[in-house]
Amino acid sequence: MDGDAAARIIADAYNLKELDISRRCWSFQITDDGLYKISLAKCISHLTSISLWGMTGVTDKGVIQLVSKATSLRHLNIGGTFITDDSLFAIAENCPQLKTIVLWSCRHVTEQGLIILVSKCHKLQSINVWGMRVPINCFVALLAMSPALQIKPRPQHHVFGSASPLPVM
């Protein structure tokens, strides 16, 4: 299966709230083009949880397109992707309800991206930063901005939410 097939399945899932297309669930890779096609589905604006964990074919281009339409997101796992601060800027602008984000091993994200994300996502409760190349003093600054923020240093590959998300087959 590829991004085209995934997009066709998602296009018919009108009530979809959670989407897990992470590497741990499927043997295929979604790319930016696949995310673009998925972002056109009618249900995208109602999604509360998306996991793209380990999708190494995903960059800023795909994430920015997706989050610009997924404005109800509360939980986002983009760990193991090749995003930069540009994705975090788009998330900060488009996802005001965001509560948790996994940035596991997003090594191209900098202190600036994290600061913008935390400053604009006022409901953010938890951020997973394991494997990132950000100085410790950045985390001190984030906690000064949002004292209740939980900064998680270890990998977490679980899917967010109380219900099992609908996997893409």
Side-chain angles (χ1 to χ4, degrees), residues 139-158:
F139 303 124
V140 173
L142 295 177
L143 289 173
M145 293 169 53
S146 180
L149 182 65
Q150 294 179 5
I151 299 175
K152 299 183 178 190
R154 285 180 271 140
Q156 296 173 331
H157 307 299
H158 67 278

Side-chain angles (χ1 to χ4, degrees), residues 110-112 114-115 118 129 132-146 149 151:
T110 71
E111 181 176 354
Q112 182 183 12
L114 291 172
I115 288 172
V118 171
V129 296
M132 293 180 66
R133 296 178 181 159
V134 179
I136 292 292
N137 62 356
C138 170
F139 303 124
V140 173
L142 295 177
L143 289 173
M145 293 169 53
S146 180
L149 182 65
I151 299 175

Side-chain angles (χ1 to χ4, degrees), residues 88-89 91-93 95-96 98-99 101 103 109-129 138-151:
L88 295 190
F89 299 154
I91 293 164
E93 289 297 322
C95 303
L98 194 66
K99 291 182 179 181
I101 188 167
L103 297 169
V109 168
T110 71
E111 181 176 354
Q112 182 183 12
L114 291 172
I115 288 172
I116 294 295
L117 180 73
V118 171
S119 70
K120 291 196 173 191
C121 292
H122 301 288
K123 295 185 179 187
L124 193 61
Q125 299 170 351
S126 173
I127 185 168
N128 183 305
V129 296
C138 170
F139 303 124
V140 173
L142 295 177
L143 289 173
M145 293 169 53
S146 180
L149 182 65
Q150 294 179 5
I151 299 175

